[in-house]
Amino acid sequence: MLRVLAVDDEKPLLEELLYLLRSDPRVRSAEGASDATEALRRVTRALESGPDGPDGIDVVFLDIHMAGLTGLDIARLLAGFARPPLIVFVTAHEGFAVQAFDLKAVDYVLKPVRPERLAEAVRRACAQLGRAGEVPAAAAAPAGPPVVVAAPHPAPESTVADRGPEQIAVELGGVTRFVAIADIAYVEAQGDYARLHTDGGSHLVRIPLSTLEERWAARGFVRIHRRHLVALARIDELRLDSGTTTVRVGPAELQVSRRHARELRDLLMRHATG
């Protein structure tokens, strides 16, 4: 069962969150903190008492916009501990999901909090503890969002830790969804944003293509053009025509720049013979 700390500088919202958490049979205890200073003091005391101590904390439910330090600031500070508690963000603001999951948040719950949505966040925290193999989260570093599908064709020397989270958070109509990276066929640059193309549609995230190229290299994503990043395993066809190189990825035909053409051909050949 979980030992929880909820942090929100609006007392009515904090009381409501605590009521919902205490009503969940998977929560052993739920205490509240109304500002960042109190939250950090309680977490520090919990870590000093040890994972089995009376002040232990497994999960921190954090608001983002608060006076003084924000919830994101608190999460960054907690990440500096050797064995921090898990983090669930609870906020009225949709625009911080990517930052939240970069900080290894377990979940991102939008206000007003619905009981069934909070229950799902509790379930994810419990599942994360189960994957860590221990009951107290303070004894295991957070492992990122829940694993859904393993990435296809990782580089031979890569490990699970090298590949990072198995999902990416995207927002659509005020709802935060989680797209398995293994489902992404290619990524298209759109200014400071990137559009993720899957078989079921596309999703826009505020992450530069260059950042995704670096993060997903171990997952088999390769840069073929200044505008496109492609999952090597999703390339169906490579075509050379009058000095122009293109690839077919499902129904899409994408141009390959001269700079990347030779490297791509070599990678595809190694992939086909390996």
Side-chain angles (χ1 to χ4, degrees), residues 17 47 121 149 154 207 222 250:
L17 180 58
L47 294 172
V149 185
I207 306 177
V222 295

Short mmCIF file of all heavy atoms in Angstrom, two decimals, residues 17 47 121 149 154 207 222 250:
data_model
loop_
_atom_site.label_atom_id
_atom_site.label_comp_id
_atom_site.label_asym_id
_atom_site.label_seq_id
_atom_site.Cartn_x
_atom_site.Cartn_y
_atom_site.Cartn_z
N LEU A 17 -8.18 16.56 -2.85
CA LEU A 17 -7.24 15.54 -3.33
C LEU A 17 -6.95 14.53 -2.22
O LEU A 17 -6.93 13.31 -2.46
CB LEU A 17 -5.96 16.22 -3.79
CG LEU A 17 -4.85 15.30 -4.33
CD1 LEU A 17 -5.35 14.46 -5.51
CD2 LEU A 17 -3.63 16.14 -4.75
N LEU A 47 13.24 10.51 3.66
CA LEU A 47 14.43 9.85 3.16
C LEU A 47 15.43 9.58 4.28
O LEU A 47 16.12 8.56 4.28
CB LEU A 47 15.07 10.70 2.06
CG LEU A 47 14.23 10.84 0.78
CD1 LEU A 47 14.86 11.84 -0.17
CD2 LEU A 47 14.07 9.50 0.09
N ALA A 121 -4.03 6.90 -11.76
CA ALA A 121 -2.69 7.34 -11.37
C ALA A 121 -2.16 6.50 -10.21
O ALA A 121 -0.98 6.13 -10.19
CB ALA A 121 -2.72 8.82 -10.98
N VAL A 149 5.14 -1.20 -25.15
CA VAL A 149 5.69 -2.03 -26.21
C VAL A 149 7.18 -1.77 -26.29
O VAL A 149 7.62 -0.63 -26.25
CB VAL A 149 5.05 -1.68 -27.59
CG1 VAL A 149 5.55 -2.63 -28.65
CG2 VAL A 149 3.53 -1.75 -27.50
N PRO A 154 16.54 -2.39 -31.58
CA PRO A 154 17.47 -1.48 -30.94
C PRO A 154 18.88 -1.77 -31.40
O PRO A 154 19.19 -2.86 -31.87
CB PRO A 154 17.31 -1.82 -29.44
CG PRO A 154 16.84 -3.24 -29.43
CD PRO A 154 16.01 -3.40 -30.67
N ILE A 207 8.68 19.46 -29.18
CA ILE A 207 10.04 18.98 -29.01
C ILE A 207 10.74 19.11 -30.37
O ILE A 207 10.21 18.65 -31.37
CB ILE A 207 10.08 17.51 -28.56
CG1 ILE A 207 9.23 17.29 -27.31
CG2 ILE A 207 11.52 17.06 -28.31
CD1 ILE A 207 9.18 15.85 -26.87
N VAL A 222 16.43 7.08 -37.59
CA VAL A 222 17.54 7.68 -38.34
C VAL A 222 17.05 8.95 -39.03
O VAL A 222 15.91 9.04 -39.48
CB VAL A 222 18.12 6.71 -39.38
CG1 VAL A 222 18.77 5.52 -38.69
CG2 VAL A 222 17.07 6.23 -40.36
N GLY A 250 5.01 3.10 -45.19
CA GLY A 250 3.57 2.96 -45.30
C GLY A 250 3.10 3.69 -46.54
O GLY A 250 3.68 3.56 -47.61
#
